[in-house]
Amino acid sequence: MSASCYHCGSPVPAGAPWTITLEGEPQPLCCPGCEAVAHAIVGSGLAHYYRYRTELAPRPEESRARAQTWQAFDHPELQARFVHAADNGASATLAIENITCAACAWLIEHHLNALEGITESAVNLSEHRLRVSWDPSILAPSNIFAELAAIGYQALPFEPDQAHQREKREDRLRVRRLIVAAVGMMQVVMFSIPLYIAGPDELGAGFSALFHWLSLALTTPVVLFSAWPFFRQAAHALAHRRLNMDVPVALAIGAAYLASAYAVVAGRGDVYFDSIAMFTFFLLVSRHLEARTRRRGGNALGSHLPASALRLDADGIERVVPASLLEPGDRLLVQPGTTVPADAVIEQGESSLDESMLTGEFLPVTRRVGERVIGGSQNMENALVVRVTHAGKQATIAHILDLTDRAFAHRPRLARLAEAMVQRFVLRLLLVTLAVATAWAFIDPSRAFWITLSVLVVTCPCALALAAPTALAAGHGALGRRGVLITRADAIEALAGVTRVVFDKTGTLTRGEMRLADTRPMGSMDAARARQIAAAIEAHSEHPIARAFGPFRRAGFKAQAVVREPGQGLHATLEGATWRLGRARFAAGHEIAPPGPGQWLLLSQEYTPRAWFRLEDTLRDDALEAVAALDALGVGVELLSGDEPETVKALAEALGIDTWQARATPEAKLARIQALQAEGERVLMVGDGINDVPVLAGADVALAVNGATDLAQTRADALLLSPRLVRVGEALETAGATRRVMRQNMAWSVAYNGLALPLAALGLVPPWLAALGMSLSSLVVVGNALRLGRRRRMAPPVSSLRQTVNA
């Protein structure tokens, strides 16, 4: 039985020469990496680490201890991102990997503190972070990283996204305000209950005054700290001559607090500190829930990209470089458990990657040599060597974030309507409040102030203001988790009203992975030469058909003056002759019957037929489920394709689509969309390629599928990032639910205010009940929106379908 490594616990190979002597006894080690780390630990006088540790250390990589590996951190541009000036020199926060127990923290701190130039180091064990300060004139950052690597710990600059950090700070402050309001409310209510039950006369003047002063003391931090955002936002709105819901909130809280405080100091009048605390607490609860809904619905893709990457130099040495400095052509090493820092193509290795942050599909996908990996996806199994294709602003995530920003830059119609209603409602509320105050000043001056306050509180349009934003945030989040990215503001509302879905065929219902199944040369043409000529012509096309001819391209054999006729084919000049490739009528100048069923392309030279090519495509796995799901929703389905009637008819019958059209040019597709719209249909067009751009632009709402061309994506209202076509039906269902929730929230808000206003104006609603009613109305709105995040995905109505069709 082989011995175990004293440092990491791995089996020690037979005859291994690596050892470390501790307390006079040699201990076996498994590799040079463990030997280097163990000797570094013992040589630093830190052998007690092995006595204190509760878990074995991970096996180190020998290359980590090389000083040149960390020289990138001496780069001024990179230092500017993570090194900060301090009183005693420089400081930085580092993320430490391989920390397993408290002994690791002890080892790191003692090893670094013993170095000349280190002024302070402290490990946050729970967060696996190291805060270190040093003298830059004595020590360079690369030395710190190298020293950590020497004792077996890999470190990287801790650089979370600034927006994410700001959001966390705001969230913590929001929670603190909520806690202060909660504690204050509970204590003030405790002091108010005896006054409500027994009354001031039975309690006595002394106890009543004591309870009032205690309530004032407890309510003051609630008003000045917890409720401060309401005052700040109200002042900002008034400074810009606008009215928002914070204006009546600030007026209610401020007026009630000042009136109650005056009553305590003067010793006469009513106090409603409990109402103030309850009002503030419940309003903060609704705001907190709204913020959580927005955060869950917001796009956090930017935080998926790492701040640094392992770049491989020409000699194969790993160097840590900022991810922002990556360029196309760079070779990177992506270790298991790490995130791909940029879009790339695999050069070595095979592994499973988690792409759920983009596609919403939580099952990892296997990627092999030559396949594309997306920046932000997580490597699950094996190390990969990849070559960067797009980085920075050209990466997929950056493109998606741009589209998302475009979507949130404008408000959909219902949201704009709600915002306009809030502004008008606030103005009318203030006018009504003034009228109520004037009327009660004549009816009963002693009750005028508190009845006016009740009107101001109970009719605060908080629920109305939250109605649309919370539902939209939850809807965006629910769609994002299903791999559907909304890129235009009105897309959710448009999706909710769709009555007919029109599919393109190639690349949409099918995979778009065309392959050349048969070649039929004509006359003296050789089959191999026919394929080479077709490949040279198709080399200038982005259509999926062009990929079928890719394997037959010959270096140096290029076509000239290539022109694409949309929906027909291509013509080009090659070796002094004009060649045409596409439909038979286009290539030959007249109709010619193909040699058999399927999709056939004709190659002609000066209109003389030279060869037939038969192409095949594979149907998407869940195409049948997608069509069946749309039928179950009561949405009509139609197929428009530029392919031959036999092929389109076979596909339509296989999927159960009754309405289809073959040989449809882009103009014919657009005409069909316009005809459907003239009949009152709300049309969703689902496509993928350049040919679909006109019809995507003409549809009521356009959805570009996974793998669509960049031009199609920019014209689409939504992107299907998931490879599963069944998400189209789920998107319609979720969009419909989002619109219903927005309408429900707005209806509830209007109904509540319409009922509460007359009751409060008649003096039937005391301030504490007004605060409770307003808060509960806001919580109802937020809770209703949160239901969208708990909606289950549509169950597949039929089993999956796998088959190859002649496309």
Side-chain angles (χ1 to χ4, degrees):
M1 182 176 180
S2 63
S4 297
C5 177
Y6 188 73
H7 179 75
C8 72
S10 301
V12 177
W18 309 294
T19 61
I20 183 70
T21 300
L22 292 172
E23 298 178 353
E25 293 186 12
Q27 301 292 344
L29 299 169
C30 66
C31 64
C34 284
E35 183 182 48
V37 171
H39 279 283
I41 293 173
V42 175
S44 301
L46 303 173
H48 288 301
Y49 160 73
Y50 291 106
R51 181 185 304 171
Y52 297 144
R53 67 178 180 178
T54 57
E55 296 183 31
L56 293 171
R59 183 173 181 171
E61 296 183 34
E62 187 178 3
S63 62
R64 298 289 182 213
R66 299 180 190 147
Q68 61 265 34
T69 304
W70 312 104
Q71 287 178 354
F73 290 105
D74 293 340
H75 194 286
E77 185 175 344
L78 179 54
Q79 285 192 42
R81 296 181 57 183
F82 76 97
V83 177
H84 308 285
D87 295 337
N88 50 2
S91 66
T93 300
L94 307 179
I96 307 296
E97 297 183 5
N98 301 337
I99 290 181
T100 58
C101 61
C104 296
W106 177 88
L107 174 62
I108 291 171
E109 291 175 358
H110 281 74
H111 183 73
L112 292 182
N113 290 336
L115 296 177
E116 183 181 3
I118 295 289
T119 55
E120 181 185 11
S121 67
V123 174
N124 183 334
L125 184 60
S126 61
E127 300 292 338
H128 291 194
R129 291 204 299 265
L130 166 67
R131 178 72 177 178
V132 59
S133 301
W134 71 94
D135 185 351
S137 64
I138 300 175
L139 207 62
S142 60
N143 299 130
I144 298 174
F145 288 97
E147 290 293 338
L148 288 168
I151 57 174
Y153 298 96
Q154 182 181 357
L156 290 173
F158 181 74
E159 290 185 292
D161 180 75
Q162 295 301 315
H164 181 61
Q165 281 292 92
R166 184 172 61 253
E167 185 180 79
K168 288 178 65 176
R169 289 195 298 270
E170 292 174 353
D171 193 45
R172 286 195 296 268
L173 182 58
R174 191 184 306 112
V175 170
R176 292 192 186 105
R177 296 187 194 278
L178 186 58
I179 291 173
V180 171
V183 173
M185 179 192 70
M186 289 187 293
Q187 296 300 318
V188 171
V189 169
M190 182 181 70
F191 291 128
S192 300
I193 289 176
L195 294 172
Y196 284 124
I197 295 178
D201 295 336
E202 293 188 24
L203 284 178
F207 275 111
S208 296
L210 176 63
F211 287 168
H212 286 159
W213 279 103
L214 290 173
S215 297
L216 172 61
L218 290 166
T219 306
T220 299
V222 174
V223 173
L224 298 183
F225 176 68
S226 297
W228 176 248
F230 305 134
F231 294 108
R232 183 182 66 241
Q233 291 160 10
H236 183 268
L238 292 175
H240 289 80
R241 298 182 179 181
R242 292 175 54 249
L243 293 175
N244 61 14
M245 67 176 180
D246 290 309
V247 173
V249 169
L251 285 174
I253 294 176
Y257 175 75
L258 292 175
S260 298
Y262 174 79
V264 171
V265 174
R268 63 178 184 275
D270 297 326
V271 295
Y272 281 97
F273 291 118
D274 53 344
S275 300
I276 299 169
M278 288 174 58
F279 183 41
T280 304
F281 170 73
F282 284 113
L283 194 55
L284 287 174
V285 168
S286 63
R287 294 283 180 93
H288 181 65
L289 291 176
E290 180 208 3
R292 286 188 58 188
T293 305
R294 286 178 177 271
R295 187 166 61 251
R296 290 177 59 190
N299 199 303
L301 286 174
S303 62
H304 282 278
L305 286 177
S308 58
L310 280 176
R311 186 171 65 190
L312 298 177
D313 291 346
D315 54 4
I317 295 178
E318 303 168 15
R319 298 185 186 276
V320 179
V321 298
S324 59
L325 298 182
L326 293 178
E327 296 180 354
D330 287 344
R331 295 176 72 244
L332 309 177
L333 176 63
V334 183
Q335 297 282 13
T338 61
T339 301
V340 180
D343 294 354
V345 173
I346 298 176
E347 289 193 341
Q348 296 177 26
E350 175 181 332
S351 185
S352 296
L353 288 97
D354 179 4
E355 299 178 351
S356 58
M357 82 293 175
L358 280 174
T359 65
E361 306 298 329
F362 293 97
L363 290 178
V365 293
T366 301
R367 300 296 183 203
R368 301 176 178 86
V369 174
E371 294 187 339
R372 179 171 172 256
V373 292
I374 303 172
S377 56
Q378 187 174 23
N379 186 13
M380 306 291 290
E381 294 173 341
N382 306 313
L384 297 173
V385 176
V386 302
R387 187 173 295 276
V388 175
T389 57
H390 299 87
K393 294 183 178 181
Q394 284 71 46
T396 300
I397 282 186
H399 175 61
I400 291 175
L401 288 174
D402 288 341
L403 294 175
T404 304
D405 291 341
R406 183 181 73 181
F408 282 98
H410 304 282
R411 309 290 287 171
R413 184 184 61 84
L414 280 176
R416 295 194 300 270
L417 176 62
E419 290 174 354
M421 288 177 63
V422 168
Q423 294 196 36
R424 291 196 298 269
F425 189 89
V426 170
L427 177 60
R428 293 169 183 173
L429 169 62
L430 295 177
L431 293 176
V432 169
T433 302
L434 179 61
V436 169
T438 302
W440 278 97
F442 289 100
I443 298 172
D444 187 350
S446 64
R447 299 180 61 195
F449 178 81
W450 296 110
I451 291 177
T452 303
L453 180 65
S454 295
V455 171
L456 200 60
V457 170
V458 78
T459 56
C460 176
C462 298
L464 184 59
L466 296 174
T470 51
L472 282 173
H476 275 275
L479 287 168
R481 287 188 291 275
R482 287 161 172 78
V484 180
L485 177 70
I486 299 299
T487 64
R488 296 192 187 276
D490 292 321
I492 286 185
E493 191 172 356
L495 282 171
V498 166
T499 60
R500 181 167 292 267
V501 176
V502 177
F503 285 103
D504 176 47
K505 175 181 162 291
T506 304
T508 304
L509 289 172
T510 65
R511 293 179 180 274
E513 299 171 356
M514 308 292 289
R515 70 181 186 89
L516 185 58
D518 192 8
T519 303
R520 303 279 183 92
M522 303 171 70
S524 60
M525 175 63 68
D526 177 73
R529 177 169 171 76
R531 287 191 289 265
Q532 290 176 359
I533 293 173
I537 298 173
E538 289 286 359
H540 297 264
S541 174
E542 294 185 20
H543 196 278
I545 288 176
R547 304 189 193 111
F549 293 94
F552 307 103
R553 293 176 187 171
R554 193 180 77 188
F557 192 62
K558 298 181 179 180
Q560 306 295 327
V562 179
V563 177
R564 180 175 186 83
E565 299 291 342
Q568 299 295 325
L570 300 97
H571 63 81
T573 301
L574 194 64
E575 296 180 338
T578 300
W579 295 82
R580 289 175 172 259
L581 177 65
R583 296 181 183 276
R585 179 181 292 276
F586 167 77
H590 56 88
E591 196 65 58
I592 300 178
Q599 180 179 2
W600 293 86
L601 297 181
L602 179 62
L603 175 68
S604 70
Q605 180 184 13
E606 306 292 354
Y607 290 103
T608 302
R610 293 300 187 187
W612 285 100
F613 301 104
R614 184 169 65 85
L615 302 177
E616 287 183 347
D617 195 1
T618 304
L619 195 65
R620 286 184 184 259
D621 293 345
D622 64 337
L624 185 57
E625 285 94 334
V627 174
L630 291 170
D631 286 339
L633 291 174
V635 177
V637 181
E638 191 166 327
L639 172 61
L640 295 181
S641 174
D643 295 337
E644 297 301 317
E646 297 83 0
T647 302
V648 180
K649 179 181 180 182
L651 179 65
E653 290 178 349
L655 296 178
I657 299 176
D658 297 328
T659 306
W660 55 271
Q661 183 176 337
R663 294 180 179 174
T665 63
E667 293 78 11
K669 291 180 181 180
L670 180 59
R672 175 58 181 167
I673 294 295
Q674 293 171 341
L676 290 171
Q677 292 170 331
E679 296 172 4
E681 299 271 15
R682 298 292 299 276
V683 180
L684 165 64
M685 178 66 198
V686 185
D688 78 308
I690 291 179
N691 283 350
D692 299 320
V693 169
V695 67
L696 287 172
D700 294 287
V701 58
L703 189 149
V705 298
N706 176 267
T709 62
D710 291 343
L711 185 57
Q713 291 183 9
T714 57
R715 293 297 182 93
D717 303 298
L719 301 181
L720 183 62
L721 302 177
S722 169
R724 300 193 62 201
L725 205 59
V726 74
R727 299 290 186 241
V728 175
E730 292 180 358
L732 297 184
E733 188 182 39
T734 303
T738 302
R739 186 176 66 174
R740 287 195 300 274
V741 167
M742 279 196 290
R743 290 177 173 176
Q744 289 168 2
N745 285 351
M746 293 175 67
W748 159 257
S749 304
V750 172
Y752 163 77
N753 282 283
L755 177 64
L757 176 59
L759 295 178
L762 292 173
L764 302 177
V765 180
W768 68 268
L769 185 57
L772 184 61
M774 186 284 309
S775 304
L776 289 178
S777 70
S778 298
L779 292 176
V780 167
V781 166
V782 175
N784 193 35
L786 288 174
R787 292 190 303 115
L788 292 170
R790 295 191 294 269
R791 292 181 62 84
R792 294 182 179 180
R793 296 182 178 183
M794 295 172 60
V798 292
S799 61
S800 64
L801 175 69
R802 290 180 180 269
Q803 74 179 77
T804 300
V805 294
N806 293 327

